[in-house]
Amino acid sequence: MSSPALPWLRPEWPVSTRVRAGMTTRVGGVSTGPFASLNLGHGSGDAQLAVEENRRRTAAALALPGAPHWLRQVHGTRALQAPFEGTPEADAAWTCQAGVVCVVQAADCLPVLLCDESATVVAAAHAGWRGLAGGVLESTVSALPVPPARLMAWLGVAI
């Protein structure tokens, strides 16, 4: 089954072409009612089959190189290295491996993408006010195996 093209935002930042990043909108999915249309959250109360189809469409539209590593976000400060199994509780994911897809979900919270200038490490952090106050960005930067001065950040759309 093919998927229609989904509108998405591409960060404009001076990173290597090896780093790919994007932010979806709510357009182009199959969810209905209060979840319409591109709801990607399993914990939202939406029909699980609709969320899975929305995630499939997103992966296809963005031509992701692998399956996304989803998190159960809790407005905390935990940053995990991907790949990992399952859907762990954390608010940031990072990797040094090519083809590993780190994702975070945000509604009114701030999605923050990090990358070093050599494109050897990437991270995605979910930064709501609780996470920001608790230090989710500091925890994420501390987890990365590169000096903070070598990092660049892209701040996604937020309320």
Side-chain angles (χ1 to χ4, degrees):
M1 173 197 303
S2 65
S3 298
L6 301 178
W8 57 290
L9 307 171
R10 290 186 178 146
E12 292 185 25
W13 57 336
V15 299
S16 166
T17 56
R18 293 185 355 222
V19 175
R20 295 185 27 222
M23 185 171 179
T24 63
T25 68
R26 291 282 305 262
V27 177
V30 299
S31 295
T32 60
F35 307 107
S37 122
L38 188 70
N39 177 35
L40 301 171
H42 272 302
S44 64
D46 194 1
Q48 297 304 297
L49 289 177
V51 172
E52 283 302 317
E53 175 59 17
N54 290 338
R55 287 181 174 192
R56 187 199 66 74
R57 286 179 180 216
T58 299
L62 301 179
L64 298 179
H69 290 276
W70 298 93
L71 301 169
R72 188 162 38 94
Q73 298 166 195
V74 294
H75 299 276
T77 62
R78 187 172 181 212
L80 292 179
Q81 184 175 4
F84 44 75
E85 295 294 320
T87 309
E89 191 173 281
D91 281 272
W94 65 275
T95 190
C96 294
Q97 295 181 31
V100 173
V101 181
C102 297
V103 298
V104 292
Q105 298 178 78
D108 56 351
C109 296
L110 178 66
V112 178
L113 305 179
L114 299 165
C115 173
D116 73 317
E117 53 200 27
S118 301
T120 61
V121 62
V122 296
H126 165 252
W129 76 263
R130 283 183 183 91
L132 282 171
V136 67
L137 297 181
E138 292 89 337
S139 294
T140 304
V141 169
S142 293
L144 303 179
V146 296
R150 288 187 40 211
L151 294 172
M152 294 178 276
W154 180 76
L155 307 179
V157 177
I159 195 166

